[in-house]
Amino acid sequence: MDMIDSNVNVLVVSAHAADFVWRAGGAIAKYVKHGANVSLVVLSYGVRGESNDLWNVPGQTVDNVKAVRRSELEQAAQHLGVKDIELWDFEDYHMQITEERMDRLTKKIREVKPHHIISHGPKDAFNPDHEMVSDYVFRASVLSTSNGVQLEGYPTAKQARLFGFEPHQSEISDFKPDVILDITEVYAQKEAAMNCFKAQQHLIDYYGAKAKLRGNHARRCSGNNEYKYAEAFSRFFPYVGGELV
């Protein structure tokens, strides 16, 4: 996508503190740069499942891990230009979705009225939280459109376009990219955001290489040699329009 409508609302829902950066940091930075309204909901700190390096520190505590993760994600979001951030502090590994939590996300979708929602795709090998959140976001997006789901003070929204992150283990998760988004112009921002996460340093090189790989695919599929870095996403719904795109 080379032209971004500045009137677009985008909601990003991340299961853990760093997911949104590894998988969609470039997309987020690009939309922010072009004037779109981007809201970020981080469901958990990732204390239990995604902070292993921090737990190697003698005397480590849950509160300290949360403080480190909060600082990292806030710094990363700043690099991407995101100002509207909510951290809901759900437990992770494994995450539970209650009726109250379903209502909370449905309300958030109705509040933001996003044109696009970016979150986890339906399959993610070795990470049940990501699959749980994918289903959570899908169901809340549908509930947000129904007049029969009455949440006082939150009128219904139109069905948003849903895009799934590329999972860490792409092939094992049966991931097939439906959208490859050029992020060359904002890759430096994504790189800076990734470098904020000292708790998962091993992923920085991995996702840098992934961005180059998808950049290669972007060039090959489009013929545009200016594409150097890219991110891939899956669609929950088919494209609908008056032309083949």
Side-chain angles (χ1 to χ4, degrees):
M1 179 183 295
D2 294 318
M3 298 297 294
I4 294 177
D5 186 346
S6 61
N7 294 316
V8 164
N9 298 330
V10 180
L11 176 62
V12 181
V13 182
S14 182
H16 310 107
D19 296 333
F20 71 97
V21 174
W22 309 128
R23 295 165 171 82
I28 293 168
K30 186 169 186 177
Y31 270 82
V32 171
K33 180 177 179 179
H34 288 269
N37 303 304
V38 179
S39 300
L40 171 64
V41 172
V42 178
L43 298 176
S44 80
Y45 291 92
V47 169
R48 287 159 58 96
E50 301 204 349
S51 302
N52 287 342
D53 291 350
L54 293 177
W55 285 109
N56 289 329
V57 177
Q60 188 62 275
T61 66
V62 169
D63 286 344
N64 187 58
V65 171
K66 285 185 177 183
V68 171
R69 297 295 272 171
R70 175 183 283 276
S71 176
E72 290 177 342
L73 81 87
E74 288 177 345
Q75 291 176 51
Q78 187 173 10
H79 282 296
L80 301 180
V82 181
K83 297 179 180 178
D84 180 11
I85 307 169
E86 294 184 12
L87 180 54
W88 289 4
D89 196 13
F90 292 2
E91 71 288 341
D92 68 304
Y93 268 49
H94 63 288
M95 191 175 291
Q96 297 288 332
I97 304 303
T98 63
E99 184 175 351
E100 180 182 3
R101 290 177 174 183
M102 185 63 70
D103 285 349
R104 185 175 182 181
L105 183 56
T106 303
K107 289 177 180 178
K108 184 63 180 179
I109 294 171
R110 289 183 175 184
E111 175 189 318
V112 174
K113 293 189 169 20
H115 299 86
H116 308 318
I117 298 176
I118 308 174
S119 190
H120 299 269
K123 290 193 69 175
D124 199 331
F126 309 122
N127 202 312
D129 281 2
H130 293 174
E131 293 189 354
M132 175 73 74
V133 170
S134 178
D135 181 65
Y136 176 38
V137 171
F138 169 75
R139 288 193 288 154
S141 78
V142 174
L143 293 176
S144 73
T145 70
S146 176
N147 289 327
V149 179
Q150 298 183 9
L151 299 169
E152 187 175 355
Y154 295 89
T156 58
K158 293 182 179 180
Q159 179 61 58
R161 295 176 179 175
L162 269 62
F163 297 92
F165 299 145
E166 177 169 5
H168 184 72
Q169 305 289 353
S170 305
E171 295 82 4
I172 300 174
S173 303
D174 296 327
F175 176 79
K176 182 178 180 180
D178 296 313
V179 177
I180 297 177
L181 181 72
D182 170 48
I183 62 167
T184 304
E185 65 178 301
V186 293
Y187 181 71
Q189 291 175 248
K190 175 170 181 169
E191 189 172 44
M194 290 194 297
N195 277 290
C196 292
F197 290 97
K198 307 305 181 186
Q200 292 175 290
Q201 285 188 312
H202 62 287
L203 294 181
I204 296 171
D205 289 341
Y206 180 89
Y207 279 100
K210 180 78 77 174
K212 291 180 181 178
L213 173 66
R214 293 309 183 191
N216 176 67
H217 292 160
R219 292 192 299 277
R220 183 67 180 85
C221 292
S222 68
N224 188 336
N225 288 324
E226 294 183 1
Y227 294 163
K228 305 299 181 185
Y229 300 95
E231 291 171 340
F233 302 89
S234 58
R235 291 181 184 269
F236 282 65
F237 305 116
Y239 166 76
V240 179
E243 60 181 319
L244 294 174
V245 175

